[in-house]
Amino acid sequence: MSEIATATQDEAGATGPGRLVLVVGPSGAGKDTLLRLAQAACSDDPDIVFPRRIVTRASSADEDNIAVSQDDFRRAREHGDFAVYWEAHGHSYALPLEINDDIRAGRAVVANVSRTVIAALRQAYANVVVVAITAPPDVLAQRLAARARHSDGNIAERLSRSVDDASAQADVTILNAGSAEYHSRQLVRVIRNEGWHE
């Protein structure tokens, strides 16, 4: 599996002053669920933005992405339409270039990304917060089996992938093994920069 990360950067240096909140973690950790709940909780705050990812996979009930073909993705990438893009699990992913306008305007931009792009994004943006969402292996296995998304590939292989890198680079780790509502409130506190409490 190839994973490629690139990020745009202002000529003057890292893009700011807004915050880029990166949500990372293994498949089945519940990232999309917590993000959906956090987005609903922040819906009345115009200074918090949840951009839709561009993905070469159809949207689902779990993920409201902008689905594009590989050819359209390649053309958009070559045109410079993405703030960052990467490949994982046989699909291409990107965040739209417009997030840079939100960051420059001082907003918080919240996005689910691959841990492979963290280092590039920490260099490209002035204020990055990485939130690792994880769960015990048995919970991950149950969630992946229940989801049964063909594009997830081999579940055993996905579970065996090391997630230590994400946790090691994380500023905050949420162990999502309890109530999704409770853990989404933890995520909202991080997004709003209200401090972190286990």
Side-chain angles (χ1 to χ4, degrees):
M1 163 182 39
S2 66
E3 295 185 349
I4 302 164
T6 63
T8 61
Q9 187 170 354
D10 286 354
E11 288 182 22
T15 304
R19 298 170 70 236
L20 182 60
V21 180
L22 304 176
V23 176
V24 297
S27 297
K31 299 181 298 292
D32 290 325
T33 298
L34 296 190
L35 279 166
R36 193 168 48 252
L37 291 168
Q39 183 172 7
C42 298
S43 62
D44 60 346
D45 190 336
D47 289 327
I48 300 175
V49 179
F50 292 80
R52 291 174 68 200
R53 296 191 305 180
I54 298 99
V55 186
T56 57
R57 177 180 68 213
S59 295
S60 70
D62 294 320
E63 181 183 17
D64 180 28
N65 58 274
I66 299 169
V68 299
S69 70
Q70 282 286 3
D71 285 342
D72 287 343
F73 188 97
R74 179 185 47 76
R75 279 191 287 273
R77 185 191 68 221
E78 290 171 355
H79 190 257
D81 294 342
F82 302 145
V84 62
Y85 63 87
W86 66 95
E87 294 182 9
H89 313 300
H91 298 287
S92 299
Y93 299 78
L95 295 179
L97 190 61
E98 291 78 20
I99 70 167
N100 290 344
D101 295 333
D102 289 313
I103 296 288
R104 288 186 195 102
R107 299 184 188 100
V109 173
V110 185
N112 172 2
V113 301
S114 168
R115 69 181 185 267
T116 61
V117 299
I118 293 173
L121 292 175
R122 283 198 191 274
Q123 288 184 342
Y125 295 90
N127 193 356
V128 175
V129 178
V130 178
V131 181
I133 296 175
T134 189
D138 59 321
V139 173
L140 295 176
Q142 289 170 3
R143 289 176 182 163
L144 284 176
R147 186 165 72 187
R149 192 165 61 193
H150 175 70
S151 62
D152 280 342
N154 184 302
I155 290 176
E157 286 179 13
R158 305 259 331 233
L159 288 172
S160 68
R161 284 187 72 203
S162 169
V163 296
D164 293 340
D165 289 347
S167 295
Q169 297 177 61
D171 300 299
V172 174
T173 299
I174 295 174
L175 181 61
N176 185 24
S179 156
E181 288 74 19
Y182 171 75
H183 295 304
S184 70
R185 288 193 298 271
Q186 291 179 311
L187 178 57
V188 168
R189 283 198 300 270
V190 175
I191 292 167
R192 290 184 170 152
N193 203 17
E194 295 175 343
W196 168 248
H197 306 286
E198 291 284 349

